[in-house]
Amino acid sequence: MKRKIYCDYLRLIATFAVVVLHVSASNWYGADVHGLAWQSFNFYDSATRWSVPIFVMISGALFLGREIPIKKIYSKYILRLVIAFFTWNLFYAIVTQETSKHGIIYGLKTHKEAIVSGHYHMWFVIMIIALYMCIPFCKKIVSDTLTTKYFLILSFVFSMMIPWIVQLLKDYVVGSNEQLVKFVGIVNSKLSVMSMNMMLGYSFYFVLGYYLDKIELNKKQRIIIYILGIIGLAFTILVDLNLALKTHKPCGNYYGNFRVNVLLEVVAVYTFFKYRKYKNWRLNKFVYLISQYTLGIYLIHAFFIEKYASIFKFNTLSFNAIVSVPVVSVVVFVSAIIVSALLKYIPIIKKYCV
């Protein structure tokens, strides 16, 4: 199968975007929403919300376009992720502050739940495992173009559009109006009764990645997508800021990966990188090299965010937040690249953990 160079670029830039997202979120809850710091965090957080869906779309583009036996899905891909999940959970359980104070054995005993549930960013691994399990079903969906479109439309309506509209009603229309409160409640209850679970979740992005990889968009269509992406970004930033200022507390109601505004960002970023011209072979080679470390970077970056903050007091509040977020992000990203690259030299770790 011909290598999709744009996926290497997307994987690398999405990994850095996740680092920026988590760095900007590290002091998001405690900052005053009226201050420059929180508003900077809100900007960076909003501007990188496309990162996780992009990872899922890359997987969809790469996995749904080829035949992979179920046995191989489990023995090669799922097994690796399961081992990585528990290995890194164990790592994070050991390096927590409580463990360092009372010893490793005490830390493991008090963090049994953490070893199973994982650090805050490890949910992504579980989600990818679930998607890999569903590859045979998703391949049936994408085998027919009409079915693919039907699935994407249905999933968009029930996992994004309706919940998004309901949230907007809650935030800007309902207020103390009893009739509207009752109406929104009825809508939510009926959606719950419908149980459209097959249409909900990250399978939407998984199939969308394959679909956008296969279709060709003309220049006019791409321009429209970019404009909508900018609108989506502006919506994410401004609406969450407006609600935060109105309620006097941090608001991330429209940060979710299944908000329509975030979807617009996601599609714009994906489209931009798919249709770029990659003529610089040296840069392509470099990006390909670093992109091989992205799983390790994702898994280890939370450690550096926390340890730089706790040990060196180097975090987003150390200096002006407009500058601190990108500076801390770059330092964390580079540190994670170095460690991930080093771990690639350890055979067992390379095969199962990064």
Side-chain angles (χ1 to χ4, degrees):
M1 185 177 71
K2 185 179 178 182
R3 183 162 198 87
K4 300 181 189 296
I5 299 176
Y6 82 90
C7 286
D8 294 330
Y9 280 81
L10 270 176
R11 189 181 292 111
L12 184 59
I13 194 68
T15 304
F16 180 68
V18 165
V19 174
V20 175
L21 190 156
H22 288 159
V23 166
S24 61
S26 59
N27 288 298
W28 184 87
Y29 288 99
D32 178 8
V33 297
H34 298 278
L36 178 63
W38 189 87
Q39 293 175 22
S40 299
F41 300 154
N42 176 58
F43 172 82
Y44 287 115
D45 206 318
S46 300
T48 53
R49 279 287 152 181
W50 49 267
S51 52
V52 168
I54 286 291
F55 281 130
V56 179
M57 290 174 69
I58 293 170
S59 294
L62 296 178
F63 280 91
L64 296 181
R66 56 194 175 109
E67 291 298 325
I68 309 176
I70 293 178
K71 182 179 179 181
K72 186 176 181 180
I73 292 173
Y74 278 85
S75 62
K76 182 176 180 179
Y77 301 108
I78 292 178
L79 176 62
R80 180 194 181 201
L81 288 175
V82 169
I83 293 173
F85 178 76
F86 286 108
T87 301
W88 283 95
N89 286 352
L90 178 62
F91 167 79
Y92 279 104
I94 291 173
V95 300
T96 54
Q97 291 186 6
E98 290 81 1
T99 301
S100 63
K101 290 176 182 178
H102 303 287
I104 291 177
I105 301 300
Y106 175 85
L108 294 181
K109 287 181 179 179
T110 56
H111 288 81
K112 285 184 291 187
E113 184 179 338
I115 295 172
V116 176
S117 60
H119 208 57
Y120 70 86
H121 67 306
M122 296 298 291
W123 70 271
F124 176 80
V125 179
I126 293 295
M127 180 267 288
I128 290 296
I129 290 172
L131 281 177
Y132 285 178
M133 288 178 174
C134 295
I135 285 175
F137 304 113
C138 291
K139 283 190 66 63
K140 294 294 183 182
I141 292 173
V142 302
S143 63
D144 176 73
T145 303
L146 184 60
T147 303
T148 303
K149 292 179 180 178
Y150 178 67
F151 173 82
L152 290 173
I153 291 171
L154 213 57
S155 184
F156 169 74
V157 170
F158 284 95
S159 67
M160 296 190 181
M161 179 59 75
I162 295 176
W164 188 69
I165 291 173
V166 169
Q167 186 64 54
L168 281 170
L169 287 173
K170 286 181 179 178
D171 289 333
Y172 287 103
V173 180
V174 173
S176 58
N177 189 308
E178 292 184 9
Q179 291 298 321
L180 286 175
V181 170
K182 186 177 180 180
F183 171 74
V184 170
I186 291 173
V187 171
N188 280 328
S189 66
K190 296 307 178 185
L191 286 174
S192 178
V193 170
M194 288 183 74
S195 295
M196 296 288 288
N197 295 330
M198 186 178 178
M199 297 300 119
L200 309 180
Y202 287 92
S203 55
F204 169 82
Y205 283 114
F206 202 54
V207 172
L208 181 63
Y210 171 85
Y211 180 72
L212 290 180
D213 177 69
K214 292 302 178 186
I215 66 170
E216 288 298 321
L217 300 170
N218 59 44
K219 187 175 181 180
K220 183 178 179 180
Q221 290 171 324
R222 298 200 300 270
I223 290 173
I224 292 173
I225 287 173
Y226 299 147
I227 292 172
L228 290 175
I230 294 170
I231 292 172
L233 172 60
F235 182 99
T236 311
I237 296 169
L238 297 176
V239 173
D240 283 304
L241 174 60
N242 174 260
L243 289 170
L245 294 176
K246 188 166 70 172
T247 59
H248 306 291
K249 59 183 180 181
C251 176
N253 288 356
Y254 299 90
Y255 284 172
N257 294 328
F258 296 98
R259 295 304 187 197
V260 174
N261 46 289
V262 172
L263 172 64
L264 296 178
E265 293 182 43
V266 173
V267 175
V269 171
Y270 191 94
T271 302
F272 175 78
F273 279 93
K274 181 189 173 184
Y275 289 93
R276 277 196 65 216
K277 303 297 182 183
Y278 300 98
K279 297 180 180 180
N280 189 330
W281 66 269
R282 288 189 178 85
L283 180 60
N284 293 346
K285 188 175 180 180
F286 174 77
V287 169
Y288 167 67
L289 173 66
I290 303 300
S291 71
Q292 296 179 80
Y293 306 143
T294 51
L295 177 59
I297 294 169
Y298 181 87
L299 294 170
I300 192 65
H301 80 277
F303 168 79
F304 285 111
I305 293 174
E306 293 168 9
K307 292 307 173 185
Y308 281 142
S310 63
I311 297 175
F312 301 106
K313 309 303 177 186
F314 178 61
N315 57 52
T316 54
L317 297 178
S318 299
F319 45 101
N320 189 301
I322 296 175
V323 180
S324 68
V325 172
V327 169
V328 173
S329 298
V330 169
V331 172
V332 168
F333 187 65
V334 172
S335 301
I337 289 176
I338 294 171
V339 172
S340 182
L342 291 173
L343 291 176
K344 282 282 189 180
Y345 284 97
I346 305 173
I348 298 297
I349 299 296
K350 174 185 178 180
K351 186 175 181 180
Y352 293 108
C353 298
V354 293

